[in-house]
Amino acid sequence: MQAISTNKLTKKYGDTVGITDLNLSVDNGDFFGFIGPNGAGKSTTIRTLLGLISPTSGSAKIFDMDIVKEHDKILENIGYLPSEINFYNKMTVKDTIAFSAGLRKNDCSKKAEELCERLNLDTSKKIDELSLGNRKKAGIVCAIQHRPKLLILDEPTSGLDPLMQKEFFKILSEENENGTTVFLSSHILSEVQSYCKTAAFIKGGKIIVSDKVEKLEETGAKKISFSGNLDTNGLKGVSELHKADTITSFLYTGNIKTLLKLMSESDIKDLTITEPSLEEIFMNYY
């Protein structure tokens, strides 16, 4: 069974297109990274899947249930963390978490207590007394405490310090190992590369590539970094040329013998050939 499947899902805002003919497939039990810069269509996709906004055309299913016709039933199985957290400001964190659990008609107190302890969250404070990071922690607890079948997380680590980010992803990995499907929207490529099994790049409201992370990393490209003088004009397979101080780097998909021959005839003082990171591959797609 697929946790999420869309068929030409489209959302327009007047003349502005949020997403166009989006075909997305997320397997049940996957840890899926949804990658793109601000404005690419990540949040529009998520809000459409959740029924917060209506699709203009196309269709989508979550656990084989139609997002429009079976909206209420779908929400019973989802935990959602929006990019911006808004709660009732005068409620305490403890009451907010209990209120969220009450909406699910579940006793989540044991799980909530465990998550609050791991995230070092003070539940006695009022929401309007919290920093951005602690608001995000409260949102994480509300999203996970009822043990949903699907977690949808929109830019979840903004506001969290590095230690909390590490603990947060440890929690997500444990939930995923226990069968929860994780759908992680992010523009931080290192997060996706470190934790996700599958990823899709979205650009201008369209999916430009989707595959297993390990497959996306196997592009055949090499990252070439060197100091010295090298004229790459006319050299086929060169992209993403960058210069920083005395070091020049680029991605290369051409014939390595051709490159080495050119370098042997040039004034090269230092040379490094490595595998590109997912971020470098991603930027090359853009």
Side-chain angles (χ1 to χ4, degrees):
M1 181 195 299
Q2 291 180 324
I4 300 172
S5 61
T6 70
N7 181 29
K8 295 185 177 180
L9 190 65
T10 298
K11 176 60 183 177
K12 296 181 179 178
Y13 305 94
D15 294 331
T16 303
V17 178
I19 53 175
T20 305
D21 293 336
L22 201 75
N23 292 319
L24 187 65
S25 178
V26 179
D27 291 336
N28 189 27
D30 202 352
F31 200 133
F32 193 95
F34 196 44
I35 313 167
N38 294 332
K42 301 190 304 298
S43 293
T44 296
T45 301
I46 287 173
R47 290 167 185 163
T48 304
L49 290 172
L50 291 170
L52 300 176
I53 54 178
S54 300
T56 304
S57 61
S59 62
K61 290 184 177 182
I62 293 179
F63 298 122
D64 288 336
M65 294 180 284
D66 186 271
I67 62 168
V68 176
K69 297 176 182 178
E70 299 172 275
H71 170 255
D72 290 345
K73 193 173 181 180
I74 286 172
L75 293 183
E76 294 175 6
N77 300 299
I78 291 179
Y80 171 49
L81 181 68
S83 57
E84 296 180 3
I85 304 295
N86 290 297
F87 293 118
Y88 294 111
N89 283 335
K90 297 306 176 182
M91 289 179 70
T92 64
V93 173
K94 182 178 180 180
D95 289 341
T96 298
I97 293 170
F99 178 70
S100 176
L103 293 174
R104 303 283 181 177
K105 296 182 174 61
N106 285 336
D107 180 6
C108 309
S109 55
K110 186 175 180 180
K111 183 68 171 180
E113 184 179 351
E114 173 201 328
L115 291 168
C116 289
E117 183 176 346
R118 293 182 66 173
L119 293 170
N120 193 25
L121 178 61
D122 185 350
T123 60
S124 65
K125 288 187 175 181
K126 291 183 178 181
I127 294 296
D128 61 3
E129 297 174 338
L130 299 181
S131 64
L132 172 61
N134 282 320
R135 280 177 182 253
K136 186 59 67 78
K137 292 177 189 178
I140 292 169
V141 176
C142 289
I144 298 177
Q145 63 175 341
H146 60 290
R147 295 181 172 87
K149 291 170 61 180
L150 171 63
L151 269 172
I152 296 181
L153 312 163
D154 193 0
E155 305 287 355
T157 56
S158 60
L160 296 179
D161 65 52
L163 287 177
M164 283 299 105
Q165 288 182 24
K166 185 176 181 180
E167 184 63 27
F168 169 64
F169 277 109
K170 186 177 180 182
I171 291 169
L172 289 188
S173 296
E174 290 169 3
E175 296 300 314
N176 181 243
E177 288 171 4
N178 290 327
T180 299
T181 303
V182 179
F183 184 85
L184 172 72
S185 166
S186 180
H187 62 266
I188 303 175
L189 276 296
S190 59
E191 293 180 348
V192 174
Q193 190 165 20
S194 297
Y195 299 101
C196 294
K197 302 172 186 174
T198 314
F201 293 166
I202 183 170
K203 174 185 179 183
K206 295 183 178 182
I207 300 292
I208 56 176
V209 65
S210 179
D211 210 333
K212 296 294 184 184
V213 169
E214 59 189 26
K215 291 290 186 181
L216 293 173
E217 293 171 336
E218 294 173 0
T219 60
K222 299 295 181 183
K223 181 181 178 182
I224 311 297
S225 302
F226 69 92
S227 61
N229 297 311
L230 176 68
D231 184 5
T232 59
N233 290 328
L235 183 62
K236 294 181 179 179
V238 174
S239 60
E240 287 300 305
L241 189 67
H242 294 290
K243 291 186 178 181
D245 297 326
T246 61
I247 303 297
T248 301
S249 62
F250 58 89
L251 296 188
Y252 184 66
T253 55
N255 187 301
I256 196 70
K257 290 183 179 179
T258 302
L259 175 63
L260 292 176
K261 183 176 185 299
L262 178 62
M263 286 186 160
S264 68
E265 298 169 352
S266 305
D267 183 20
I268 302 297
K269 295 181 175 62
D270 193 15
L271 171 66
T272 304
I273 301 177
T274 59
E275 297 293 330
S277 68
L278 189 62
E279 181 170 4
E280 288 159 337
I281 296 168
F282 170 74
M283 292 308 298
N284 191 42
Y285 276 113
Y286 272 74

